[in-house]
């Protein structure tokens, strides 16, 4: 009987300690500041902005359409995106919040797309971003291709995580 118990315990200890786990990806929850914007034209020309440049989306609708490098902050919490940061009475305050969804690659589990919908006067204006990088300290989003004055371009937003 003692041998049976010892054998069972040995089997449980030897086989039960191995934990299988898939690769995990960091949550995007946190506060970020925009540190750089790169515009790429259809001809491949790259224009990098890392000073107090203001980027305005063609026909701006919401706060993600007007961004200032090293000034714009966003906060992600669950399925809500906050923007319009203010520090009031020693408390972080946000002017706008939007529901959004994030899609994952079904095979790898990596984050793929972030979709934010502005609702203005009952009309939905989508802003869809490709998540290029979702590291523990950074996040890089590529906006869709846009056309301004007959020239097509897309923009990439580089964010640094500054807090939980």
């Amino acid at each position: 009987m003692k041998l049976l118990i010892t054998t069972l315990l040995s089997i449980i200890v030897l086989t039960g300690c191995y934990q299988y786990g898939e690769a995990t990806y960091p949550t995007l929850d946190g506060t970020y500041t925009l540190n750089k914007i790169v515009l790429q034209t259809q001809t491949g020309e790259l224009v990098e902005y890392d000073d107090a440049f203001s980027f305005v989306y063609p026909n701006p609708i919401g706060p993600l359409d007007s961004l200032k490098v090293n000034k714009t902050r966003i906060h992600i919490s669950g399925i809500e995106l906050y923007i319009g940061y203010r520090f009031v009475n020693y408390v972080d305050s946000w002017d706008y919040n939007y529901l959004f969804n994030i899609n994952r690659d079904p095979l790898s589990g990596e984050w793929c797309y972030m979709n934010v919908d502005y609702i203005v006067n009952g009309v939905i204006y989508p802003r869809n971003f490709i998540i290029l990088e979702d590291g523990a300290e950074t996040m890089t989003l590529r906006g869709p291709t846009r056309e301004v004055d007959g020239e097509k371009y897309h923009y990439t937003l580089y964010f640094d995580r500054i807090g939980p």
Side-chain angles (χ1 to χ4, degrees):
M1 184 67 162
K2 203 176 206 183
L3 180 61
L4 179 62
I5 291 175
T6 305
T7 306
L8 285 175
L9 285 175
S10 298
I11 291 172
I12 290 171
V13 168
L14 293 174
T15 61
C17 290
Y18 177 75
Q19 285 191 343
Y20 171 76
E22 292 184 23
T24 59
Y25 294 91
T27 175
L28 295 179
D29 288 4
T31 302
Y32 299 85
T33 186
L34 179 66
N35 71 9
K36 181 170 60 172
I37 299 173
V38 175
L39 299 178
Q40 183 172 7
T41 64
Q42 188 176 8
T43 60
E45 177 187 357
L46 293 175
V47 181
E48 185 173 314
Y49 299 95
D50 56 6
D51 54 2
F53 170 74
S54 293
F55 178 79
V56 179
Y57 186 91
N59 305 317
I61 301 293
L64 280 175
D65 298 340
S66 300
L67 304 170
K68 290 186 178 184
V69 174
N70 296 322
K71 298 271 188 217
T72 298
R73 286 187 183 190
I74 65 170
H75 179 75
I76 296 174
S77 179
I79 60 169
E80 291 187 286
L81 174 76
Y82 298 87
I83 192 164
Y85 175 78
R86 291 182 296 126
F87 189 69
V88 180
N89 295 329
Y90 304 103
V91 176
D92 291 337
S93 178
W94 302 92
D95 291 335
Y96 308 97
N97 70 309
Y98 299 96
L99 294 177
F100 75 101
N101 65 7
I102 299 175
N103 299 328
R104 287 182 181 246
D105 182 284
L107 298 176
S108 70
E110 292 180 290
W111 303 112
C112 295
Y113 301 102
M114 178 189 301
N115 306 306
V116 182
D117 289 333
Y118 296 143
I119 301 175
V120 180
N121 297 327
V123 179
I124 298 173
Y125 297 93
R127 296 295 181 259
N128 304 312
F129 300 95
I130 298 170
I131 300 172
L132 298 178
E133 181 183 352
D134 59 350
E137 299 300 321
T138 61
M139 177 174 62
T140 305
L141 304 175
R142 173 171 287 157
T145 301
R146 295 287 174 221
E147 186 171 335
V148 176
D149 298 328
E151 185 173 1
K152 292 184 179 180
Y153 72 92
H154 66 263
Y155 57 96
T156 305
L157 307 173
Y158 294 84
F159 291 93
D160 286 331
R161 186 185 304 252
I162 58 171

